[in-house]
Amino acid sequence: MAREKVARFRDWTYWGRPVPGFGDAAARVLVVGLAPAAHGGNRTGRVFTGDESGNWLYRALHAAGFANQPTSVARDDGLRLSDAYVTAAARCAPPGNRPTPDELGRCQPFLVEELDRLARLRVVVVLGKIAHDAFLAALSARGDVVPRPRPRFAHGLAHRLPNGLLLVCSYHPSQQNTFTGRLTRPMLDAVFSQAAAALDDRASTPPRRRRT
């Protein structure tokens, strides 16, 4: 995709390689998406940047107080996140926008490392079922206890995990979901309002257990 491009981005030099996570290294909220979009993050080099899904996500983060602006168009656009970090289950744009189990497995160590580095983490927002499953698999890979049966995915559902993290589920802000009305702006805003409220409710937020 980075070589072929599309007409509207013909003059761009695409990033065309794995896209790293982005945000506040001291974040208490982690957002896990699916994968870079072929002409979004794969083009710009920043996760959820340069496509409509990113516009939805960063608008919601801005409304909840986690971003300094509601748009994300390029790596040098001035966007900064506060108390939030955004990443993806897969780091490269997958064929058909659906990563294979092998691709997810190869990218898992990066998500595990991010979980290790985010020492103040309290809330994880997963965008879609694939991100939900990838996050739980990464928890298991790093030695955390994952409940059985595993926490169920449904939009707006929240689970308190054994390690103290609050897992909040959301539909992915893909055009397939937003154009059809499966996900609306108020629905996405409510997810990040829930995440922000959980940070304020310190009495109900146990300290996170670190991997040893």
Side-chain angles (χ1 to χ4, degrees), residues 59-170:
R59 178 194 170 279
L61 286 169
H62 179 258
F66 294 112
N68 68 322
Q69 62 189 43
T71 57
S72 177
V73 296
R75 294 198 309 278
D76 59 356
D77 61 5
L79 175 66
R80 296 189 305 277
L81 300 185
S82 176
D83 220 1
Y85 189 91
V86 179
T87 190
R91 303 305 164 111
C92 295
N97 203 34
R98 191 173 184 85
T100 66
D102 182 61
E103 289 173 308
L104 291 169
R106 288 175 181 271
C107 292
Q108 185 185 86
F110 300 110
L111 182 54
V112 170
E113 183 174 353
E114 286 167 332
L115 290 170
D116 286 342
R117 289 176 178 271
L118 293 170
R120 299 178 68 236
L121 191 61
R122 291 292 179 268
V123 180
V124 178
V125 177
V126 289
L127 303 177
K129 179 67 162 55
I130 294 177
H132 171 268
D133 292 346
F135 166 69
L136 292 177
L139 274 190
S140 181
R142 72 188 296 273
D144 284 299
V145 175
V146 176
R148 290 190 175 277
R150 290 199 166 196
R152 184 171 64 92
F153 177 84
H155 181 84
L157 198 60
H159 306 274
R160 180 68 68 185
L161 300 178
N163 65 359
L165 293 178
L166 182 67
L167 173 63
V168 182
C169 304
S170 173

Side-chain angles (χ1 to χ4, degrees), residues 28 77 88 143 163 183 190 209:
R28 291 181 294 167
D77 61 5
N163 65 359
L183 179 66
R209 297 170 190 166

